[in-house]
Amino acid sequence: MKFARKLLLGSAATAAMLASNPALAQSNDAEMEALRAEVAALKAQLAELSAKVEKVAATPAPAPSPVAVSAAEKKPAAEISWKGSPEIKGEGGWSFKPRGRLQIDAASINPSDTIATNSLGSTVRVRRAQFGMDGTIPGGFGYRVEADIGSGSAELTDMYLTYKANKELTITLGQHKPFWGLEELTSDLFTSFNERAAYHGAFGFERRVGLSATYVAKNLLLQGGIFADNAADLNGDGTNNSRSFDGRIVFMPKMGNTQLHLGASGHSRRFNDFSSTARYRARPFTRTTDTRFVDTRGFLANGEDSFGLEALVNNGRFHASAESHWLTAKRIGAFADPTFNGGYAEVGYFLTKDSLAYKGGVVDRTKPANPLGKGGMGAWQINARYDWVDLSDEAVTGGKQQIYGLSLVWTPTEYVRFMANYGHLELTDAAVLAGGSGDYSADVVGMRAQIDF
């Protein structure tokens, strides 16, 4: 462009000089012709140069190379999504998500006759206040750490490391649940009643430290592991040496719109202590009291064997499920081994256009089709169940508890839940007497408000 301007200035100067001095022009016609030819050539060069400049200006600029991209223009090192709480995902397989739940219960227990205790009546309790985190680590690893502070002191619930060997196989190391059955492995966030069936508590189902494997195929679930005891009971002084082998198998085909679930589990535990005591007892349909109407009290034993059966049918708004579990305590000495039994049978129906969520061998989170706040009223569900536990056999008399229960569940959004329960209890040979008798009844009304993230 500078060269073109010089050419234009030179041509203009030459033309001005010739115009101001006609005598000079006339005296030298040959030179004038030469100058005209030179000016014409310069104009042609200028036109060619201008055309090239316009072509270059019209050509799109090439994309900058990756090296030239500034740090501010690069892809963020982490992505944040929302699943009840922020989930942060980084490069290479890293992720982190805080998690927690808050459950506040209120209940009233009214026996048919007088019981010598002040722990019944109407009570409010923080059932669970759990906080923790989970995520993934590059290489196929995952983790979860969670503690419950609802009792006033921190108690470890989940604490484990997982390794996903492939799409079907997952290895878990740490504190987690042995594979007791459908309702026990279903999160307490998604159960149909405030509390699981009474036999879960009576037989001491809990999280334990162990190593396990889970294999999931299309319609088949296999789980098995070896476990010690709950982390809070492993005091490190060598007095707790219990070991158990636990396994579960589930056949879970889907036939059209119907989800089927048929399963069985087996468990063998040895206390491995010089002198051990076994005790089996159950609360009355709520955890707002420490009173157990049925109770074997302590007796000498060195282990226990148990097995369970489980079934579920889920179709649209309707579901039905049932489980039963048998536990044999291995007594020390010449005493016969008692076998105790418990279970439940349940039916449920959604009043709204929703259905029970099922995933991987357990009941999952209900996501209302029309949640509150988005033009809907959330999901409404009613359930009825028969729940029993029998702790009397051989020389052990712990009593029998039967519960006829109803529940109403409102899930306004997928992370908020409200529940109302009613249970009528029938007790036989109860360890806690009412009016001097072990045969009596009681009514229990309970409510829960729940939020999780």
Side-chain angles (χ1 to χ4, degrees), residues 397-414:
T397 302
K400 182 177 182 179
Q401 176 176 283
Q402 301 177 83
I403 302 174
Y404 303 87
L406 296 172
S407 74
L408 175 65
V409 182
W410 178 38
T411 309
T413 70
E414 59 181 303

Side-chain angles (χ1 to χ4, degrees), residues 339-361:
T339 296
F340 309 123
N341 173 246
Y344 72 91
E346 173 184 304
V347 293
Y349 185 78
F350 278 88
L351 304 176
T352 52
K353 294 181 179 179
D354 296 281
S355 60
L356 195 73
Y358 176 89
K359 181 180 179 181

Side-chain angles (χ1 to χ4, degrees), residues 406-431:
L406 296 172
S407 74
L408 175 65
V409 182
W410 178 38
T411 309
T413 70
E414 59 181 303
Y415 295 100
V416 179
R417 208 177 198 212
F418 299 94
M419 303 175 70
N421 291 185
Y422 166 74
H424 177 73
L425 282 65
E426 293 288 344
L427 295 132
T428 306
D429 295 327

Side-chain angles (χ1 to χ4, degrees), residues 21-22 60 69 71 74-75 95 101 112 118-119 146 151 219 270 272 352 371-372 389 398 400 409 427 446:
N21 197 346
V69 178
K74 289 182 179 179
K75 183 180 179 181
S95 72
R101 70 196 66 184
S112 59
N118 59 0
S119 67
E146 191 171 54
S151 60
N219 296 323
R270 294 297 175 266
N272 293 325
T352 52
L372 193 69
V389 61
K400 182 177 182 179
V409 182
L427 295 132

Side-chain angles (χ1 to χ4, degrees), residues 8 21 38 51 53 67 96-97 99 159 171 198 211 236 265 271 320 353 393 399 411 421 426:
L8 289 173
N21 197 346
E38 184 178 352
V53 170
V67 178
F96 171 84
K97 181 183 181 298
R99 56 183 286 112
M159 184 184 71
I171 309 297
L211 174 66
S265 66
F271 302 148
K353 294 181 179 179
D393 190 44
T411 309
N421 291 185
E426 293 288 344

Side-chain angles (χ1 to χ4, degrees), residues 92-292:
W94 286 99
S95 72
F96 171 84
K97 181 183 181 298
R99 56 183 286 112
R101 70 196 66 184
L102 176 63
Q103 297 172 334
I104 300 176
D105 288 2
S108 178
I109 307 170
N110 300 287
S112 59
D113 212 329
T114 303
I115 294 179
T117 178
N118 59 0
S119 67
L120 301 180
S122 299
T123 314
V124 176
R125 177 185 178 181
V126 177
R127 178 66 176 88
R128 294 180 180 91
Q130 296 179 0
F131 299 93
M133 57 188 159
D134 59 18
T136 57
I137 303 172
F141 293 96
Y143 63 91
R144 175 173 293 179
V145 178
E146 191 171 54
D148 189 350
I149 62 174
S151 60
S153 61
E155 179 182 346
L156 189 66
T157 54
D158 287 324
M159 184 184 71
Y160 56 77
L161 177 71
T162 63
Y163 173 67
K164 198 167 185 63
N166 50 51
K167 186 178 179 181
E168 294 83 18
L169 180 62
T170 302
I171 309 297
T172 304
L173 174 64
Q175 169 137 311
H176 58 294
K177 288 185 177 182
F179 311 108
W180 306 112
L182 172 63
E183 189 176 50
E184 182 64 29
L185 294 177
T186 293
S187 169
D188 56 71
L189 295 170
F190 314 137
T191 54
S192 303
F193 288 78
N194 288 359
E195 301 298 336
R196 297 180 175 93
Y199 75 91
H200 293 265
F203 295 164
F205 294 172
E206 62 181 355
R207 293 171 174 84
R208 293 174 182 164
V209 177
L211 174 66
S212 70
T214 297
Y215 177 83
V216 184
K218 182 178 180 181
N219 296 323
L220 182 65
L221 171 65
L222 298 174
Q223 296 172 302
I226 180 172
F227 292 84
D229 210 333
N230 184 275
D233 298 323
L234 295 174
N235 46 32
D237 62 3
T239 60
N240 189 330
N241 303 303
S242 67
R243 295 289 183 274
S244 70
F245 295 92
D246 304 86
R248 179 177 181 237
I249 180 171
V250 176
F251 182 54
M252 46 186 185
K254 190 166 185 180
M255 305 172 63
N257 295 324
T258 301
Q259 174 69 60
L260 297 178
H261 173 110
L262 299 171
S265 66
H267 316 269
S268 181
R269 186 185 186 201
R270 294 297 175 266
F271 302 148
N272 293 325
D273 292 332
F274 179 74
S275 177
S276 296
T277 300
R279 184 179 185 180
Y280 305 96
R281 54 185 182 162
R283 283 185 171 91
F285 200 54
T286 178
R287 288 289 294 267
T288 60
T289 180
D290 284 332
T291 297
R292 278 87 161 179

Side-chain angles (χ1 to χ4, degrees), residues 372-390:
L372 193 69
K374 295 186 178 181
M377 57 185 296
W380 289 82
Q381 178 188 3
I382 55 173
N383 305 281
R385 78 160 42 181
Y386 169 64
D387 170 356
W388 78 94
V389 61
D390 188 348

